[in-house]
Amino acid sequence: MASGGWHMEKRSTLKSDSLADKGEDSESSLECGSLSIIVLGASGDLAKKKTFPALFNLYRQGFLPPSEVHIFGYARSKMTDDDLKDRIRGYLVPSKNATPETSEDVSNFLHLIQYVSGSYDSEEGFQLLDKEISKYEYEQNRQEGISRRLFYLALPPSVYPSVCRMIKLHCMTKSGNVGWTRVVVEKPFGKDLESAEQLSSQIGELFDESQIYRIDHYLGKELVQNMLVMRFANRFFLPLWNRDNIDNVQIVFREDFGTEGRGGYFDQYGIIRDIIQNHLLQVLCLVAMEKPVSLTPEYIRDEKVKVLQAVNPIKDEEVVLGQYEGYRDDPTVPKTSNTPTFATVVLRIHNERWEGVPFILKAGKALNSRKAEIRVQFKDVPGDIFKCKKQGRNEFVMRLQPSESIYMKLTVKQPGLEMSTVQSELDLSYKQRYQEVVIPEAYERLILDTIRGDQQHFVRRDELKAAWEIFTPLLHRIDKGQLKSLPYKPGTRGPVEADALLEKAGYVQTHGYIWVPPSL
């Protein structure tokens, strides 16, 4: 390797890392034995756009070797194996990236897929599904007790209880202690504390907590996973990460498009339920948590729960809601809808580390840009001997998407003969630094974690309950019309009142400085 260079293997070179190669004798290892992955809701958008492409990428990297894995699609639609394969084929590899090699990989992957049709509350359908799974397991000549079954529920939460009941009655692994059955459930997991607890109870009566994987795909994002490493593996962050040095923290999710045909679905939830209560709150936990005793899933999730339990009740004066103009033009959206498509919420954590530091969660649709980031703003430098306070504060920023990056905003001397200062940055752009690396999609990582039995990046029941306890009172006030959504024009920053709230919370906006991701 040349001096100063960087080398990392491409993902396509990882194919030797098969399930059988792991050989680790632990609960989190990739055990040998037949693995059946069952995608329920196989005909839906989530399955074809996210689940099957993630499985294909794992297959290409050698994590789902054909000698050990078979994939079953299950849905109500009446279609054949070939119909399902034709439906998902175009989503596995973008046409611009298609090559003879990828075409062959697609063809080989599709050979692993089988389709079973049935309803989600039908014993006959799930008995047929179990029969097909058992047939595959028998054909693999596996000893009874080492078959593994992973059920991925790419379905609306309303059918979770009936589907889980059918799985429990008819489709569990026919084994003793070696094999396993695991269930992956997608958000939204309830609409408030009561509905979430009811859903948790219904599923909890059927499966142990160790068998349930509540997926939040934000926890699988590369930069979100990097947060623990940045915080706890770098000496210079450890003494600074507290209320003595940090003035405020922003966690932002912005989209430059509206609901686009999903208005009727979105109107049932709104931006707080859809984004803030789960994705952004999970990121907040990683930013604010104390150092875990170890990196085991239970220690990390224990610390996250402690953060959530320390959050003070949300005050109405620290909330700004918005709805973009034109949202109610969608015929599936009620003309009197108060559902927010934008929200800025200030949370305050009542503990020794964070007392007095506002955590600002902001999410919105139809805004002027698309990005998701964590922005930690430090307090002013005492004394200000260089008279540069007006230029802005130091900030540490993790850009989650797009253009994954980490940068620190600093004040430096402007080159020249004068002693003048300017804002600049120290930055790590992933596209520039890791040119040979394709960052894995969040769903790939989380499905692989499920196979390994690693629940670190999944939401535990008490964590889910604590999250809903924070937001349920606010959501009920919004549902009752006690808090109104303010109109804003598409393509803007959102309601101007939101910027006023940021200023009131202590955030100092830098004017004249814009960070631009480095280009290759």
Side-chain angles (χ1 to χ4, degrees):
M1 183 176 70
S3 176
W6 180 269
H7 171 75
M8 184 174 286
E9 290 184 333
K10 294 183 180 180
R11 291 168 70 191
S12 59
T13 66
L14 301 178
K15 291 189 176 182
S16 63
D17 293 334
S18 71
L19 299 180
D21 292 334
K22 303 301 175 180
E24 296 173 9
D25 186 19
S26 68
E27 182 181 356
S28 63
S29 67
L30 296 177
E31 311 96 328
C32 297
S34 64
L35 172 61
S36 301
I37 300 175
I38 303 94
V39 181
L40 298 119
S43 61
D45 276 357
L46 176 63
K48 71 181 181 182
K49 293 179 180 179
K50 295 294 183 181
T51 313
F52 283 114
L55 292 172
F56 172 67
N57 287 330
L58 290 174
Y59 163 79
R60 290 198 71 203
Q61 296 171 76
F63 290 109
L64 300 181
S67 61
E68 299 179 19
V69 178
H70 200 63
I71 300 170
F72 297 86
Y74 184 91
R76 291 176 295 201
S77 302
K78 299 294 184 182
M79 56 183 179
T80 65
D81 293 354
D82 288 338
D83 291 335
L84 175 61
K85 294 173 184 180
D86 290 341
R87 180 172 297 204
I88 67 176
R89 186 188 307 271
Y91 292 90
L92 301 181
V93 178
S95 56
K96 63 180 180 180
N97 297 334
T99 66
E101 181 185 3
T102 58
S103 297
E104 182 180 356
D105 286 339
V106 167
S107 178
N108 292 336
F109 172 74
L110 292 176
H111 280 308
L112 302 179
I113 297 177
Q114 179 180 345
Y115 183 71
V116 178
S117 176
S119 67
Y120 297 125
D121 57 359
S122 162
E123 292 196 1
E124 292 81 4
F126 281 88
Q127 287 170 346
L128 176 60
L129 176 61
D130 178 69
K131 179 180 178 182
E132 294 300 323
I133 299 173
S134 299
K135 179 181 177 182
Y136 155 70
E137 292 172 343
Y138 178 78
E139 290 174 350
Q140 291 297 302
N141 296 320
R142 305 293 183 184
Q143 296 178 4
E144 186 175 6
I146 59 174
S147 61
R148 298 162 293 157
R149 298 185 179 186
L150 170 59
F151 291 87
Y152 193 110
L153 276 59
L155 296 165
S158 59
V159 300
Y160 287 174
S162 62
V163 168
C164 288
R165 190 176 305 110
M166 291 297 105
I167 294 172
K168 182 68 175 180
L169 289 175
H170 303 292
C171 295
M172 298 293 285
T173 299
K174 311 299 190 294
S175 66
N177 297 324
V178 183
W180 50 252
T181 301
R182 292 170 185 157
V183 178
V184 178
V185 293
E186 279 273 359
K187 80 167 189 74
F189 204 83
K191 295 185 68 174
D192 57 12
L193 177 61
E194 181 180 0
S195 60
E197 278 292 279
Q198 181 180 10
L199 199 54
S200 291
S201 296
Q202 291 171 328
I203 298 177
E205 291 175 354
L206 301 169
F207 300 104
D208 295 334
E209 185 66 23
S210 62
Q211 297 175 293
I212 304 170
Y213 289 72
R214 300 176 189 85
I215 197 169
D216 184 330
H217 74 270
Y218 248 61
L219 289 176
K221 288 187 174 295
E222 182 69 29
L223 268 292
V224 173
Q225 298 219 330
N226 203 358
M227 173 54 71
L228 291 183
V229 179
M230 293 295 299
R231 282 196 58 194
F232 301 125
N234 294 287
R235 177 69 182 177
F236 55 83
F237 278 128
L238 294 176
L240 298 180
W241 214 257
N242 53 52
R243 62 188 175 92
D244 296 328
N245 300 285
I246 293 176
D247 186 89
N248 60 80
V249 178
Q250 276 195 76
I251 304 172
V252 179
F253 177 93
R254 302 166 64 89
E255 290 182 328
D256 55 4
F257 54 88
T259 53
E260 296 186 344
R262 296 177 61 249
Y265 167 82
F266 181 85
D267 201 71
Q268 301 175 52
Y269 295 95
I271 198 70
I272 295 178
R273 290 183 174 97
D274 193 42
I275 301 295
I276 295 180
Q277 182 271 340
N278 41 74
H279 297 334
L280 301 195
L281 197 60
Q282 285 294 317
V283 174
L284 178 146
C285 289
L286 297 176
V287 174
M289 64 185 281
E290 297 292 334
K291 185 176 182 179
V293 175
S294 77
L295 289 178
T296 61
E298 291 310 303
Y299 278 119
I300 290 175
R301 297 201 292 179
D302 285 346
E303 293 301 328
K304 289 166 64 181
V305 170
K306 290 177 184 176
V307 170
L308 296 174
Q309 292 174 338
V311 174
N312 286 335
I314 300 172
K315 299 178 181 179
D316 287 356
E317 59 267 26
E318 293 194 313
V319 177
V320 171
L321 307 176
Q323 186 185 93
Y324 68 84
E325 295 175 1
Y327 169 73
R328 285 181 277 185
D329 293 343
D330 186 323
T332 62
V333 174
K335 296 302 180 184
T336 58
S337 173
N338 185 48
T339 299
T341 60
F342 173 98
T344 296
V345 181
V346 179
L347 299 185
R348 299 184 182 273
I349 301 173
H350 181 59
N351 63 21
E352 183 178 359
R353 180 182 291 269
W354 297 113
E355 189 72 49
V357 178
F359 282 76
I360 304 160
L361 308 187
K362 181 166 64 175
K365 291 182 173 293
L367 300 177
N368 60 348
S369 64
R370 172 181 173 263
K371 67 178 180 180
E373 66 182 17
I374 306 164
R375 183 174 295 269
V376 179
Q377 187 170 86
F378 291 86
K379 293 185 175 182
D380 293 323
V381 175
D384 192 26
I385 62 174
F386 292 103
K387 309 301 180 186
C388 55
K389 181 177 179 180
K390 291 183 179 179
Q391 292 179 354
R393 292 168 164 171
N394 297 142
E395 291 184 351
F396 172 70
V397 183
M398 299 186 75
R399 175 72 66 88
L400 309 181
Q401 65 180 38
S403 302
E404 291 90 345
S405 306
I406 301 171
Y407 67 95
M408 298 182 69
K409 195 163 70 176
L410 308 172
T411 299
V412 300
K413 179 186 176 297
Q414 185 166 341
L417 297 176
E418 300 296 328
M419 181 55 75
S420 58
T421 60
V422 67
Q423 281 212 318
S424 187
E425 70 282 326
L426 298 174
D427 67 324
L428 164 62
S429 170
Y430 275 55
K431 284 184 179 179
Q432 188 178 58
R433 180 62 165 167
Y434 307 120
Q435 295 182 25
E436 297 298 317
V437 178
V438 177
I439 296 176
E441 290 290 332
Y443 280 94
E444 296 174 38
R445 189 188 313 273
L446 295 176
I447 290 174
L448 186 59
D449 282 349
T450 305
I451 297 170
R452 288 171 165 164
D454 184 352
Q455 292 187 307
Q456 175 179 327
H457 304 118
F458 295 84
V459 182
R460 203 169 60 191
R461 179 174 178 175
D462 56 344
E463 188 179 348
L464 179 71
K465 179 181 179 182
W468 277 118
E469 286 174 340
I470 293 170
F471 280 99
T472 291
L474 171 64
L475 289 167
H476 284 177
R477 295 197 294 274
I478 296 171
D479 293 342
K480 293 176 182 177
Q482 296 172 359
L483 286 176
K484 298 294 184 181
S485 294
L486 304 172
Y488 65 94
K489 293 185 179 299
T492 65
R493 287 175 50 84
V496 295
E497 290 83 355
D499 286 336
L501 177 59
L502 288 182
E503 184 177 353
K504 181 180 177 182
Y507 177 69
V508 176
Q509 177 72 43
T510 300
H511 298 285
Y513 169 90
I514 300 177
W515 177 78
V516 179
S519 59
L520 295 179

